[in-house]
Amino acid sequence: MKRPIRVLVAKVGLDGHDRGAKVIATSLRDAGMEVIYTGLRQTPEMVVNTALQEDVDAIGISILSGAHMTVFPKIIELMKQKELTDVLLTGGGIIPEGDMIKLKELGVGELFAPGTTMATIVTYIENWTINHRNF
């Protein structure tokens, strides 16, 4: 029997709005994934260290603060330093389309805007994991 997909859901920085992150975490759990929710006010270093310790397949960042062009590049840099190159970095929140394109060019996976269905997010993580993590 294969193990469940492991996803770390995190809120980075001073963004205190965690309702969306909790909804995502619950939906991923309901879809059969194992979810580690870090809670509020994490640093990029804390997120990457937790991902390493928990041996996750994916990291999902919920961001509404406008700091996405700082947070995502820092996490990608730290993931490369820690050799987490086979772990998906995805996320969602209030991120302009132009910034989404720039972040994808840096190696960030799909980014989801408000209103994206849970089924879309679940399917994306499942498919990415199957194609990149030898499931």
Side-chain angles (χ1 to χ4, degrees):
M1 184 162 110
K2 69 177 185 172
R3 69 170 176 81
I5 295 170
R6 294 174 59 88
V7 182
L8 176 69
V9 176
K11 294 289 296 182
V12 179
L14 299 177
D15 181 357
H17 299 86
D18 64 348
R19 184 174 180 186
K22 289 178 178 176
V23 168
I24 294 286
T26 300
S27 295
L28 296 177
R29 206 171 279 131
D30 289 349
M33 297 182 196
E34 188 173 319
V35 178
I36 299 98
Y37 175 59
T38 63
L40 295 170
R41 296 177 181 82
Q42 300 294 297
T43 65
E45 292 81 3
M46 292 163 78
V47 169
V48 173
N49 286 335
T50 301
L52 188 62
Q53 291 168 1
E54 295 288 344
D55 188 29
V56 299
D57 302 297
I59 300 169
I61 303 295
S62 170
I63 193 154
L64 302 170
S65 66
H68 51 273
M69 294 305 288
T70 302
V71 168
F72 281 101
K74 181 64 176 174
I75 292 173
I76 282 283
E77 175 189 324
L78 292 166
M79 288 174 70
K80 288 176 183 173
Q81 288 175 12
K82 301 278 186 176
E83 299 180 6
L84 291 177
T85 54
D86 64 341
V87 173
L88 170 63
L89 176 60
T90 186
I94 308 299
I95 305 171
E97 186 66 35
D99 290 349
M100 286 185 182
I101 292 167
K102 290 176 188 170
L103 291 169
K104 287 179 191 177
E105 289 170 357
L106 293 176
V108 177
E110 287 296 319
L111 295 166
F112 301 98
T116 303
T117 66
M118 293 290 90
T120 299
I121 296 168
V122 167
T123 299
Y124 173 71
I125 293 172
E126 287 174 341
N127 288 339
W128 190 97
T129 303
I130 288 166
N131 291 319
H132 295 89
R133 296 283 293 185
N134 298 320
F135 262 73

